[in-house]
Amino acid sequence: CPPDARKCITVSRKKEAPRKKEAPKSVETTGPVTYPQSPDSRSDITIQQVACTVVSDDPVLLSGPIVEGHGRQTCTAYVYQQIEVCVQRHRWYGWETMACDAASNTTVEIHEWTQVLCASGTYTYRTRVKGWFTWSGRTYSSPYVYSYDKRYTC
């Protein structure tokens, strides 16, 4: 307070804790996804020239016990394409990627699968698929495509 003040009130403000920035929420897509969605002004491709559809099948429990995930990509033209298929298991901290396999070829349709040993106990599994294709020297990629969750006891 200044020395000539008759009364002085001191107000203290409680410091606010800095707010945590939330991580951007990832977009999880189930079901088939076709990409690119629309023509890109910076690209030489249009949806009429080439488009690919990525499909992620539900994981299947096989004897062994083995969990198998399968995915495929179908394009509207004969192009160089790649696909990655992963099996994920849900844990208390989120999704754990158990195994991934990839394939590539110059074709119209490509398939790939991966297998993991089913963990002892009851877990929820899903298949994650991502596709790429190359057209006129540029590579285009799909978002991750997820199957529906399947719960298995091994």
Side-chain angles (χ1 to χ4, degrees):
C1 290
D4 59 342
R6 289 188 185 176
K7 227 179 190 182
C8 187
I9 299 175
T10 306
V11 178
S12 64
R13 290 189 178 180
K14 190 176 181 181
K15 285 188 177 179
E16 291 183 21
R19 292 185 181 181
K20 291 182 181 177
K21 289 185 180 178
E22 289 186 24
K25 301 212 184 240
S26 64
V27 177
E28 293 191 358
T29 305
T30 56
V33 169
T34 300
Y35 71 102
Q37 289 294 326
S38 61
D40 182 336
S41 61
R42 296 166 289 146
S43 110
D44 56 353
I45 191 169
T46 65
I47 218 65
Q48 290 80 24
Q49 290 175 315
V50 179
C52 295
T53 300
V54 178
V55 177
S56 179
D57 294 332
D58 292 343
V60 177
L61 181 62
L62 305 174
S63 62
I66 292 173
V67 177
E68 180 177 271
H70 181 262
R72 65 188 174 279
Q73 175 170 271
T74 306
C75 296
T76 58
Y78 193 78
V79 294
Y80 176 75
Q81 54 181 308
Q82 299 169 288
I83 189 171
E84 180 188 62
V85 177
C86 300
V87 171
Q88 295 182 314
R89 174 175 67 169
H90 193 265
R91 305 296 301 263
W92 64 270
Y93 52 82
W95 288 96
E96 173 186 24
T97 300
M98 303 295 293
C100 294
D101 280 308
S104 61
N105 203 351
T106 302
T107 184
V108 172
E109 184 168 88
I110 191 167
H111 294 258
E112 185 59 43
W113 64 90
T114 191
Q115 296 180 336
V116 297
L117 222 62
C118 187
S120 180
T122 301
Y123 290 98
T124 301
Y125 292 88
R126 72 180 181 184
T127 307
R128 182 186 77 189
V129 179
K130 185 170 182 79
W132 297 265
F133 73 90
T134 302
W135 178 260
S136 296
R138 290 196 58 185
T139 300
Y140 301 85
S141 65
S142 75
Y144 285 119
V145 179
Y146 297 91
S147 69
Y148 289 102
D149 301 345
K150 290 290 187 174
R151 195 156 179 81
Y152 295 120
T153 301
C154 300

